[in-house]
Amino acid sequence: MFRFEDPIYLWLLVLIPILALVRFISYRNQRKRLRKFGDPSLLKELMPDVSRFRPSVKFWLLLGALALMIVMLARPQMGTKINHEKRVGIETIIAMDISNSMRAEDIIPSRLDRSKMMIENLVDHFSNDKIGLIVFAGDAFVQLPITSDYVSAKMFLSSIDPSMIATQGTDIARAIEMATHSFTQEEGIGKAIIVITDGEDHEGGALQAAEAAKDAGMRVYVLGVGSVNGAPIPIPGTGGYMTDRSGNTVMSALNEDMCKQVAQAGGGAYIHVENNSAAQQQLDSELDKLAKKETTTTIYSEFDEQFQAVGVLVLLFLIIEICVLDRRNPLLKNLSLFKRGERREVQARLILLAVISLSSCFSPLTSMAQTDRQYIRQGNKLFRSGDYPNAEVSYRKAIEKNPRNPQAVFNLGNALMAQKKDSAAVVQFENASKLETNPLRKAKAYHNMGVVCQSHKMYGEAIEAYKNALRLNPEDNETRYNLVLCKHQQQKQQQKQQQNQQGNDDKKQDNKKDQQKQDQQKDKQDDKKQQEQPKPQMSKENAEQLLNAAIQNEKQTQDKLQKAQQQPQRRSIQNNW
């Protein structure tokens, strides 16, 4: 495969036809001036050593060398170089629930967005492990095969949405079964299946699938996302909420009992995701218990530079251009040899040749050393002009060249935040705070993290981020104001939750009392009816007829059951959330 790393320099090739046009015009003017001195045939006899074609040959050689030097600046690359490393780790398959119920906003910003943030944190904590990604709803498919390419795993997260799967519902069993077949064939290595879901299993069979995975040597961990109180499911773009077949608003709640049972059957653990950092620590401690094994992993691929071959051609063109003189050699014209020019001219040209060759050889290396800075400057221009998606691309290229550049990571977070990709922006700000050594820049990263969390009403995380920023930069008044505002908003939020909880408890108690009264009244009415009705008398013939009819009905029922078992089972989705 052939490509140019910096194709923007190829625009300089426009100079080639321009210089050729200038050369043609100057040559024509030169012939016009010679005609003014006399007849061209007479002038040719007076200048026997002047060559008509040699200047043109020298010009085209120089022009070809210039074109090749421009190609060198564009850094031609060919082929791939794949590096393999031996790592000691585990294999992990993440099964992410993307059913419509994951749109519920009982946790901020939503169950789906919180799940994405959790997966990003998981990927950031992996270093020597392999990871795969499965998305499921009423059906399941592999979004990312098991790999060590963590960058690709994060890129796939941005495109995940419930609309990816047409068959809605929640089939946890199918996701676990697909995960068991997505691992490598290596033995002796720990294999973990992490199911991120709200626990609304509409299809059943999850416990059996988890037990089968455990018997195959895998461990099933369940991360429960949502609240037990539940919340309506918003419909994107309408402002309304999903309803069932009866027209009632669907209230989706976290089914912790189901999640715990699946985790227990799979030999893993259940973790309720309320705070990402706490859930991450608990999950890390569980994964550390798994057996680790040395595996060979493909880390990355890179293109080989081909500027050396182009540089050799440039040197060859320049050497030929030096050897070709402007005038003919009358003594050696029969041998077609060229006359040696003056020594000073040759030395000057050789020196020029050496300077050009050295500069051309080292220019690609210099550009490679400064590539990450160039990408950052390019991204900054795009960011200032409002072109945030292309700015994000430039910053990601800078990170690929130098993953330890905190400025590129911080700027990438700003570009993501400008595009409202808040979960990904928070991850980049966290990385920038770890890489940055300047306290003021580090404080800015924490400040931006607080702004994102505050916008999603995650006041606890925002307060912690603002505190970290003030520890590094106590004179930042804007951060101090935001901290006070977040504390005030957090108090209001807690008061509302307490009021809602008390109201729900009161309603439940009232409903229980009303239900008890109704049950008591029904029992009394049933007793009265039984006392008032006379007991019917049945003859012996009627009793035998009823007995025969019951036996026939039982036989018909058994025949239907046998036929149903022989027919293939078809899965019907009753709920689309």
Side-chain angles (χ1 to χ4, degrees):
M1 183 177 179
F2 181 80
R3 74 170 187 179
F4 289 100
E5 178 66 20
D6 300 319
I8 191 172
Y9 290 109
L10 295 177
W11 286 102
L12 295 175
L13 292 175
V14 178
L15 295 174
I16 303 302
I18 294 175
L19 293 175
L21 181 61
V22 171
R23 165 66 180 172
F24 174 75
I25 294 173
S26 62
Y27 180 73
R28 188 176 62 176
N29 293 335
Q30 182 182 9
R31 296 197 62 179
K32 288 181 179 180
R33 290 194 299 268
L34 287 175
R35 289 193 185 96
K36 292 180 181 180
F37 285 101
D39 185 24
S41 59
L42 180 60
L43 293 174
K44 186 178 180 180
E45 295 295 334
L46 295 174
M47 298 183 295
D49 296 337
V50 175
S51 175
R52 179 182 177 183
F53 300 104
R54 294 190 181 210
S56 298
V57 172
K58 293 172 65 66
F59 170 77
W60 289 111
L61 287 172
L62 287 175
L63 203 62
L66 178 61
L68 291 175
M69 290 179 65
I70 294 173
V71 173
M72 288 177 62
L73 290 176
R75 293 179 59 191
Q77 298 176 343
M78 182 177 291
T80 58
K81 180 180 179 182
I82 300 176
N83 294 338
H84 300 275
E85 283 189 5
K86 291 185 177 180
R87 294 182 172 186
V88 179
I90 64 174
E91 294 182 0
T92 304
I93 298 292
I94 299 175
M96 181 179 177
D97 186 358
I98 61 171
S99 59
N100 286 325
S101 62
M102 295 296 287
R103 297 184 188 271
E105 298 177 350
D106 48 358
I107 57 174
I108 303 300
S110 68
R111 297 178 184 175
L112 184 63
D113 291 334
R114 181 62 71 90
S115 300
K116 290 182 180 181
M117 295 172 64
M118 188 67 192
I119 294 177
E120 288 180 351
N121 292 339
L122 284 172
V123 174
D124 290 336
H125 283 75
F126 286 155
S127 57
N128 299 324
D129 307 313
K130 291 184 178 181
I131 185 174
L133 181 60
I134 292 175
V135 293
F136 72 94
D139 200 354
F141 66 91
V142 178
Q143 178 76 357
L144 177 69
I146 191 163
T147 180
S148 298
D149 188 0
Y150 303 141
V151 177
S152 298
K154 290 184 178 181
M155 292 177 63
F156 277 111
L157 281 177
S158 60
S159 61
I160 291 178
D161 189 78
S163 60
M164 295 174 60
I165 299 181
T167 305
Q168 279 297 317
T170 306
D171 193 350
I172 299 177
R174 187 170 180 82
I176 296 177
E177 289 174 358
M178 182 169 289
T180 56
H181 297 91
S182 300
F183 291 99
T184 63
Q185 300 299 323
E186 294 188 17
E187 298 181 356
I189 186 172
K191 298 178 181 180
I193 301 174
I194 302 175
V195 182
I196 303 178
T197 181
D198 52 14
E200 289 193 349
D201 186 21
H202 297 158
E203 304 306 319
L207 299 180
Q208 293 80 358
E211 290 177 355
K214 179 182 177 182
D215 295 338
M218 306 164 192
R219 293 292 179 267
V220 180
Y221 302 89
V222 181
L223 303 183
V225 184
S227 65
V228 294
N229 296 327
I233 303 172
I235 301 176
T238 62
Y241 297 96
M242 292 189 65
T243 56
D244 57 15
R245 297 179 180 178
S246 302
N248 300 321
T249 302
V250 176
M251 295 295 293
S252 174
L254 172 64
N255 189 351
E256 282 196 317
D257 294 335
M258 170 60 70
C259 294
K260 292 178 180 178
Q261 291 174 7
V262 173
Q264 184 178 4
Y270 166 72
I271 300 173
H272 184 200
V273 181
E274 292 180 338
N275 183 284
N276 283 1
S277 58
Q280 179 64 53
Q281 292 177 359
Q282 186 176 354
L283 181 60
D284 288 342
S285 62
E286 293 290 338
L287 295 179
D288 288 339
K289 300 176 183 178
L290 299 179
K292 298 180 180 179
K293 182 182 177 182
E294 184 179 288
T295 58
T296 302
T297 305
T298 301
I299 305 299
Y300 61 90
S301 61
E302 61 182 11
F303 288 83
D304 293 332
E305 300 286 345
Q306 301 295 326
F307 69 90
Q308 300 91 341
V310 183
V312 172
L313 292 176
V314 172
L315 291 175
L316 182 61
F317 279 22
L318 293 176
I319 291 173
I320 295 175
E321 193 274 337
I322 292 174
C323 295
V324 176
L325 302 179
D326 293 332
R327 294 179 299 172
R328 296 175 181 174
N329 188 349
L331 298 178
L332 302 175
K333 62 181 180 179
N334 294 329
L335 298 177
S336 298
L337 297 177
F338 303 128
K339 182 179 178 181
R340 181 179 296 177
E342 297 180 357
R343 287 185 177 180
R344 293 181 180 179
E345 182 181 359
V346 174
Q347 290 176 354
R349 293 192 180 187
L350 289 174
I351 293 173
L352 178 62
L353 173 63
V355 173
I356 292 174
S357 62
L358 289 174
S359 62
S360 63
C361 290
F362 286 105
S363 60
L365 298 177
T366 306
S367 63
M368 288 176 63
Q370 298 178 353
T371 298
D372 56 334
R373 298 181 181 178
Q374 292 176 357
Y375 281 132
I376 291 175
R377 287 194 293 268
Q378 182 181 357
N380 293 340
K381 291 180 182 178
L382 295 171
F383 186 88
R384 287 192 292 267
S385 63
D387 191 358
Y388 305 124
N390 289 328
E392 177 189 351
V393 173
S394 297
Y395 293 140
R396 289 191 183 277
K397 289 182 179 180
I399 294 174
E400 289 179 1
K401 298 298 179 184
N402 184 8
R404 307 294 299 176
N405 191 329
Q407 184 180 359
V409 178
F410 177 77
N411 291 356
L412 176 58
N414 290 334
L416 293 171
M417 186 169 64
Q419 300 176 71
K420 297 183 179 180
K421 299 179 181 179
D422 295 334
S423 60
V426 170
V427 174
Q428 298 302 327
F429 289 138
E430 289 179 353
N431 295 336
S433 64
K434 296 175 183 178
L435 297 174
E436 187 61 68
T437 56
N438 189 327
L440 297 178
R441 295 178 181 174
K442 196 170 185 177
K444 290 181 180 179
Y446 281 116
H447 175 84
N448 289 355
M449 289 169 56
V451 171
V452 174
C453 295
Q454 184 179 0
S455 64
H456 292 286
K457 298 182 181 180
M458 299 168 61
Y459 299 120
E461 291 83 350
I463 290 172
E464 189 65 26
Y466 287 140
K467 286 181 179 179
N468 292 330
L470 288 175
R471 291 189 188 101
L472 298 169
N473 186 13
E475 298 178 358
D476 192 346
N477 294 325
E478 182 180 359
T479 304
R480 187 176 290 104
Y481 172 78
N482 290 350
L483 177 61
V484 175
L485 181 62
C486 273
K487 290 182 178 180
H488 181 66
Q489 291 173 339
Q490 187 183 36
Q491 291 177 357
K492 285 186 175 181
Q493 188 183 49
Q494 292 175 353
Q495 291 175 359
K496 288 183 180 179
Q497 291 178 353
Q498 291 176 359
Q499 292 175 359
N500 294 333
Q501 185 66 28
Q502 291 177 357
N504 293 331
D505 294 339
D506 294 338
K507 289 181 180 179
K508 290 181 180 179
Q509 291 178 359
D510 294 338
N511 293 332
K512 287 182 180 179
K513 291 179 180 179
D514 294 338
Q515 187 67 28
Q516 290 176 357
K517 290 180 179 178
Q518 293 177 1
D519 293 340
Q520 291 176 359
Q521 292 177 358
K522 288 182 179 180
D523 293 339
K524 290 179 180 179
Q525 293 176 359
D526 293 339
D527 294 339
K528 290 180 179 180
K529 289 181 179 179
Q530 290 177 359
Q531 292 174 2
E532 292 176 356
Q533 292 179 354
K535 295 183 178 179
Q537 295 180 357
M538 183 179 298
S539 63
K540 184 177 180 181
E541 295 177 354
N542 292 335
E544 290 178 354
Q545 291 176 357
L546 292 175
L547 180 60
N548 293 329
I551 293 172
Q552 291 178 358
N553 290 333
E554 185 177 358
K555 289 181 178 179
Q556 291 177 357
T557 303
Q558 291 178 356
D559 293 338
K560 289 181 180 179
L561 289 174
Q562 290 178 358
K563 292 180 179 179
Q565 291 177 356
Q566 293 175 359
Q567 292 179 355
Q569 296 182 355
R570 295 183 179 178
R571 192 165 53 94
S572 61
I573 303 300
Q574 300 294 333
N575 300 323
N576 64 338
W577 62 86

